[in-house]
Amino acid sequence: MSDSDGKKTLGLRGSSRPGNVKQSFSHGRTKNVVVETKRKRVVVPKPGAAKGGSGAAPVGSGSRRPAGISDAEMERRLKALQAAKAREAEEAANREAEEKAREEERARRRAEAEAKEREQREAEERARQKAEEEERKQREAEVAKERAAAAAAAPAAAEAPRPARPAPNKPAPASTPRKADRERDQRRGKGQDDGRRSGKLTLGQATGGGGNRQRSMASMKRKQERARQKAMGAQVEREKIIRDVQLPETIVVSELANRMAERVGEVVKSLMNMGMMVTQNQTIDADTAEVIIEEFGHKVVRVSDSDVEDVIKEVEDKDEDLQGRPPVITIMGHVDHGKTSILDAIRNARVVAGEAGGITQHIGAYQVKTESGTTLSFLDTPGHAAFTSMRSRGAQVTDIVVLVVAADDAVMPQTIEAINHAKAAEVPMIVAINKCDKPAADPNKVRTDLLQHEVIVEQMSGEVQDVEVSAHTGQGLDELLEAIALQAEILELKANPNRAAQGAVIEAQLDVGRGPVATVLVQNGTLRQGDIFVVGEQYGKVRALINDKGERVQEAGPSVPVEVLGLNGTPEAGDVLNVTETDAQAREIAAYREHAAKDKRAAAGAATTLEQLMAKAKEDENVSELPILVKADVQGSAEAIVQAMEKIGNDEVRVRVLHSGVGAITETDVGLAEASGAPIMGFNVRANASARNTANQKGVEIRYYSVIYDLVDDVKAAASGLLSAEIRENFIGYAQIKEVFKVTGVGKVAGCLVTEGVARRSAGVRLLRDNVVIHEGTLKTLKRFKDEVAEVQSGQECGMAFENYDDVRPNDVIEIFEREEVTRTLD
């Protein structure tokens, strides 16, 4: 459309405020639009207000005064702003002073510890120097004494007769006394040493190596006798070597002979002389072996089976070897308070998107780097049960506990349980008040409720840090990470990476393709590929290390979680991993631990005396048991399910876990379930084809679960079915005996008046006399006039006769009741 086509542009007509605007479009179309303009309202300040505003402008924010604000209101606002700024400055000064005081206290404590350690080192150094000085003086005295003895023996050696030798053509050089002695010994020949060198100073005596040990006269005589026998051609007995023989609680005869370096026949002969007819492959006790060892002239060193673990005892690290390590944080709290949501929010905010599989599926632990550069290791341990088990086994894997409490729900039972866990483990706590974005959120109620459990947050003048967060909106997550980093800085966590690795098993599972896999958190040292290790009752060699991103790594330092491949079996959650030097050591330690655990289980299951066995059988006589088999995907889940099963039941019924394990359901499990009549509970696992076919043939029930609460509820419902029904009595009526009649063939019949409720033929009755129960039974007959009836209503007369009872009297009261069975359930 050109400018010369006669159409006008869009514009306003006239200067009036309401008006029309004509819009032109293509193809000759037009449209009228009504337009209304509004004028801007300009507020002109009063002269007095302008003066007051000019004086207060520098104090305020510099912006214009809002419309409708009076001078007094403006002054109040400015004063409040100044007071807030002063309060902030005062709080900042107080915080700085407190931080300075804390730093001075830490420096003072550090200086005291260093001074104490320095004094201890100086005292040890003085004691060592004193001991060395005394030893040196003693050695000098002994050397001087030996030199005097050597000087006294020199003339006697010089006067000894020498055999004549022809004089050589040229004169021989003058030989030293030591050389002359050596030549004289050579001339006398071997075996003719008469011990005259015993008084000479040797190199070992000069250096103090054998100054205290001198040959006795008896020793010299024995030596001369051996030399004489050897010269005469007799066989010389070899000098016996006295050995230190390590003696365990039991030992095989052949092994005992091997440790003494004696012939097996001699040892068996000695045992037979003691009256023990044994062979070389039989085992004898330690006391008998001790007598044999002393008879052969050796020394006994008693050892225990547990001494095999001495190779993995902890060694104190030097301060100069320690380096800083990331803290390990466990997040705990009540169900549905947002623990997993906070973990997911932190992970999504800090971890690169699109990682293979997701971290929590891989390892249950991951590392987060804050904006300040601090690295934090988070543990996603499954619930309270695993945390308690770790603490009971002594594996202190957690440095800081983050207690998550919902702002709209406050403190709940599992929150209290988490507080108790943290106190028992003696680890610091940080309170994260979640769901602060909800309208019903009340963080102050959470803080006051925590006071009842001795958790005093900083806003309540305590020492426990508290952060208001929202996993949904991301509010406060950075503050939470900084609070954790600050707490870790106060703890000053250190470890020695240049030593044999030590760690704790967080989780363990049986993978179909990779075999037993353990998720290990390294606590000290560095775990490398190829290391030989022992963990609990299992051992192995590190075939591969997989970090929290699913990548293979060559080594893992302190506070680094990794998956370890190469075990010979599945360990338990909480077991301690130790690196050993040789494969034999690892095998020996694992075998000892397995044997000790088997003995412990046998001792726990066996009654000590026959009386206790009979008492236990009598107690269990009236107890019904529900046997079950549990198979889970990981060790932590199996352990949590077994612990939950032990809590189900009462004095009448209980759940008995016949077997719990990790991995798929096999034919062996089905055979055990069939023999004991137990169902199989599979948690995140399935039965293989052969196990399914066997279960269908033998009628074994297999149930699959993915939520632990569903499994617990089903087992609780099944156990409730074993409870005997509760019997309840409902009173339906009362009748009073007016007269007693004797009827031929029936006996005594009571003529009664039903005073309350109804009398039924099928109901039970009690006979009351002076409000005392005389008889309880059933009715033989209930008649109304001459007819047998099923029931009689209140206010009517009837005749009643009791079954096998005739002692009824006038004015007695008959109580009529019915019994009903009520199904009971486990709470």
Side-chain angles (χ1 to χ4, degrees):
M1 184 171 59
S2 64
D3 296 338
S4 60
D5 57 358
K7 293 184 180 180
K8 298 180 179 179
T9 58
L10 183 64
L12 293 174
R13 292 189 299 174
S15 59
S16 59
R17 277 168 296 201
N20 293 331
V21 175
K22 186 176 182 181
Q23 290 179 307
S24 299
F25 300 98
S26 60
H27 304 289
R29 292 185 294 111
T30 59
K31 182 181 180 182
N32 291 328
V33 181
V34 178
V35 178
E36 181 180 358
T37 60
K38 292 185 178 180
R39 291 186 178 180
K40 184 178 180 182
R41 179 181 177 186
V42 180
V43 180
V44 180
K46 297 180 182 178
K51 293 178 182 178
S54 63
V59 183
S61 61
S63 60
R64 294 181 179 179
R65 177 189 301 178
I69 301 298
S70 63
D71 295 341
E73 178 67 20
M74 193 66 184
E75 289 179 1
R76 280 197 299 273
R77 292 190 179 188
L78 293 174
K79 287 180 179 179
L81 182 62
Q82 292 174 354
K85 289 187 175 181
R87 189 163 57 252
E88 288 180 359
E90 184 179 356
E91 290 177 356
N94 291 338
R95 281 197 301 271
E96 187 176 355
E98 290 176 359
E99 182 65 27
K100 187 176 180 182
R102 282 198 294 267
E103 184 65 31
E104 291 177 355
E105 179 67 17
R106 283 199 295 269
R108 184 182 64 79
R109 290 181 181 177
R110 197 180 299 113
E112 289 179 357
E114 290 176 355
K116 186 175 180 181
E117 187 177 356
R118 189 165 55 251
E119 290 177 0
Q120 186 176 359
R121 283 201 302 269
E122 290 176 356
E124 292 176 355
E125 183 65 24
R126 286 196 298 270
R128 186 180 62 80
Q129 291 178 356
K130 185 177 179 180
E132 289 180 355
E133 182 67 22
E134 291 178 354
E135 186 179 354
R136 186 179 60 80
K137 288 181 179 179
Q138 184 179 1
R139 197 161 55 241
E140 288 177 355
E142 292 172 356
V143 170
K145 184 178 178 181
E146 291 169 0
R147 284 178 179 174
E159 293 174 0
R162 295 188 177 186
R165 293 188 59 180
N169 294 331
K170 57 180 181 179
S175 61
T176 60
R178 187 181 296 255
K179 187 175 181 181
D181 292 339
R182 188 163 59 247
E183 292 172 355
R184 185 170 59 252
D185 292 341
Q186 289 175 358
R187 285 194 300 270
R188 279 198 301 264
K190 296 180 181 179
Q192 297 180 3
D193 188 5
D194 56 357
R196 292 178 181 177
R197 284 177 51 87
S198 60
K200 297 188 70 64
L201 180 65
T202 62
L203 183 63
Q205 292 170 345
T207 55
N212 295 333
R213 187 175 178 182
Q214 295 181 359
R215 303 194 71 169
S216 63
M217 186 62 68
S219 175
M220 296 295 296
K221 287 182 178 180
R222 286 195 300 269
K223 187 174 182 181
Q224 290 177 356
E225 182 66 22
R226 284 196 300 270
R228 187 178 62 80
Q229 289 181 358
K230 186 175 181 181
M232 293 174 62
Q235 188 176 0
V236 181
E237 273 189 28
R238 194 176 57 183
E239 186 177 355
K240 188 176 183 64
I241 300 175
I242 299 176
R243 303 178 184 274
D244 293 335
V245 181
Q246 294 187 349
L247 181 61
E249 279 83 0
T250 59
I251 189 170
V252 180
V253 174
S254 58
E255 177 64 21
L256 176 62
N258 187 25
R259 293 186 182 187
M260 292 191 299
E262 302 286 350
R263 293 185 180 90
V264 180
E266 296 293 333
V267 177
V268 173
K269 181 179 177 181
S270 179
L271 285 167
M272 288 183 176
N273 291 335
M274 294 173 57
M276 296 182 64
M277 300 300 164
V278 296
T279 63
Q280 64 176 357
N281 296 324
Q282 284 184 281
T283 304
I284 58 175
D285 61 301
D287 296 334
T288 306
E290 184 174 357
V291 174
I292 297 297
I293 293 170
E294 290 176 351
E295 184 178 337
F296 278 87
H298 299 289
K299 295 180 181 179
V300 179
V301 180
R302 285 287 190 116
V303 295
S304 175
D305 290 341
S306 59
D307 292 344
V308 298
E309 293 189 336
D310 291 345
V311 296
I312 58 172
K313 283 188 176 179
E314 293 188 4
V315 181
E316 291 292 333
D317 295 315
K318 298 179 181 178
D319 292 339
E320 56 267 19
D321 297 335
L322 298 178
Q323 300 178 14
R325 65 172 179 86
V328 181
I329 302 103
T330 299
I331 297 185
M332 304 180 68
H334 192 70
V335 178
D336 292 334
H337 276 202
K339 301 185 297 295
T340 307
S341 301
I342 289 180
L343 288 172
D344 290 342
I346 294 174
R347 185 184 62 192
N348 293 335
R350 301 293 173 195
V351 178
V352 179
E355 264 181 345
I359 293 171
T360 45
Q361 295 178 6
H362 271 86
I363 198 167
Y366 54 92
Q367 291 188 327
V368 172
K369 201 164 188 177
T370 61
E371 294 179 354
S372 61
T374 306
T375 303
L376 309 175
S377 295
F378 282 91
L379 283 189
D380 193 7
T381 51
H384 305 294
F387 190 74
T388 307
S389 300
M390 287 181 186
R391 193 185 73 244
S392 65
R393 293 185 184 101
Q396 294 286 351
V397 297
T398 301
D399 299 317
I400 301 171
V401 169
V402 175
L403 182 66
V404 179
V405 188
D408 60 343
D409 204 11
V411 177
M412 298 299 285
Q414 279 184 314
T415 310
I416 302 170
E417 185 181 353
I419 293 172
N420 295 333
H421 286 328
K423 288 182 178 179
E426 295 181 354
V427 292
M429 197 179 343
I430 297 175
V431 178
I433 305 175
N434 195 20
K435 302 183 182 180
C436 288
D437 57 325
K438 286 195 171 184
D442 188 1
N444 289 326
K445 185 177 185 302
V446 174
R447 297 186 179 100
T448 53
D449 288 352
L450 289 173
L451 292 175
Q452 302 175 7
H453 306 284
E454 301 178 1
V455 179
I456 308 171
V457 298
E458 288 182 346
Q459 291 202 11
M460 297 287 183
S461 303
E463 297 182 355
V464 180
Q465 298 185 76
D466 64 315
V467 184
E468 297 182 8
V469 299
S470 171
H472 185 66
T473 62
Q475 168 199 344
L477 291 180
D478 290 334
E479 288 82 355
L480 177 61
L481 294 176
E482 292 300 329
I484 294 171
L486 175 62
Q487 185 67 52
E489 187 178 348
I490 295 173
L491 292 176
E492 296 181 352
L493 303 170
K494 292 183 178 181
N496 181 13
N498 302 317
R499 56 167 290 180
Q502 179 183 351
V505 177
I506 301 171
E507 194 56 271
Q509 60 183 347
L510 186 63
D511 197 302
V512 176
R514 301 184 296 174
V517 180
T519 301
V520 177
L521 179 72
V522 181
Q523 294 173 293
N524 213 344
T526 302
L527 184 64
R528 297 178 175 86
Q529 187 171 343
D531 284 348
I532 299 168
F533 62 90
V534 58
V535 50
E537 302 173 22
Q538 314 298 334
Y539 67 94
K541 183 177 181 180
V542 180
R543 286 197 290 109
L545 296 173
I546 301 174
N547 65 0
D548 57 343
K549 300 179 179 63
E551 303 168 349
R552 293 188 66 160
V553 294
Q554 295 298 319
E555 60 181 28
S559 297
V560 176
V562 287
E563 281 187 344
V564 178
L565 279 69
L567 292 100
N568 71 322
T570 307
E572 295 186 6
D575 282 345
V576 179
L577 180 143
N578 294 98
V579 172
T580 60
E581 294 180 359
T582 61
D583 184 65
Q585 289 180 349
R587 289 173 183 268
E588 191 175 5
I589 295 171
Y592 162 71
R593 289 178 176 176
E594 186 177 1
H595 183 70
K598 190 182 296 183
D599 292 346
K600 186 177 180 181
R601 285 193 293 267
T608 54
T609 62
L610 183 61
E611 289 79 6
Q612 292 180 355
L613 185 64
M614 297 298 293
K616 190 175 187 306
K618 191 173 182 180
E619 289 176 2
D620 296 344
E621 185 178 359
N622 299 324
V623 178
S624 300
E625 284 189 344
L626 174 64
I628 63 171
L629 270 77
V630 176
K631 294 299 287 290
D633 55 344
V634 293
Q635 189 71 35
S637 300
E639 189 176 6
I641 292 170
V642 171
Q643 291 178 357
M645 295 299 103
E646 291 175 353
K647 297 178 183 178
I648 298 175
N650 54 17
D651 296 337
E652 298 180 30
V653 64
R654 66 185 172 205
V655 178
R656 182 183 176 193
V657 180
L658 298 176
H659 171 69
S660 65
V662 177
I665 300 170
T666 61
E667 283 189 80
T668 307
D669 301 325
V670 175
L672 178 60
E674 183 206 6
S676 56
I680 300 176
M681 306 294 178
F683 186 77
N684 286 334
V685 295
R686 295 292 181 268
N688 53 36
S690 59
R692 284 197 301 269
N693 296 334
T694 307
N696 292 332
Q697 292 172 4
K698 299 183 178 180
V700 176
E701 182 181 9
I702 300 178
R703 293 194 175 189
Y704 303 122
Y705 298 92
S706 58
V707 180
I708 189 171
Y709 305 112
D710 296 340
L711 189 152
V712 173
D713 291 342
D714 285 1
V715 173
K716 192 178 292 185
S720 300
L722 298 177
L723 290 172
S724 58
E726 182 181 358
I727 306 299
R728 290 184 183 176
E729 291 184 354
N730 296 325
F731 297 100
I732 59 174
Y734 289 92
Q736 187 173 10
I737 299 177
K738 296 295 185 180
E739 194 63 46
V740 178
F741 307 98
K742 286 187 178 180
V743 178
T744 305
V746 178
K748 289 185 179 181
V749 177
C752 307
L753 174 66
V754 181
T755 58
E756 184 180 341
V758 61
R760 286 199 181 96
R761 170 74 176 77
S762 59
V765 291
R766 289 192 185 96
L767 181 64
L768 307 180
R769 186 174 296 160
D770 296 331
N771 292 325
V772 178
V773 177
I774 302 299
H775 172 70
E776 180 177 342
T778 57
L779 289 177
K780 181 164 62 174
T781 179
L782 176 63
K783 290 192 175 183
R784 171 85 174 139
F785 297 109
K786 292 185 179 182
D787 301 327
E788 189 78 23
V789 292
E791 63 178 32
V792 178
Q793 298 295 328
S794 175
Q796 296 180 354
E797 294 181 345
C798 63
M800 294 184 187
F802 291 90
E803 193 78 44
N804 300 327
Y805 191 77
D806 286 340
D807 185 17
V808 291
R809 301 176 187 176
N811 296 324
D812 287 351
V813 176
I814 298 174
E815 185 179 71
I816 304 105
F817 62 90
E818 287 183 342
R819 289 189 176 96
E820 66 173 348
E821 293 185 352
V822 179
T823 304
R824 296 164 60 196
T825 58
L826 289 171
D827 296 332

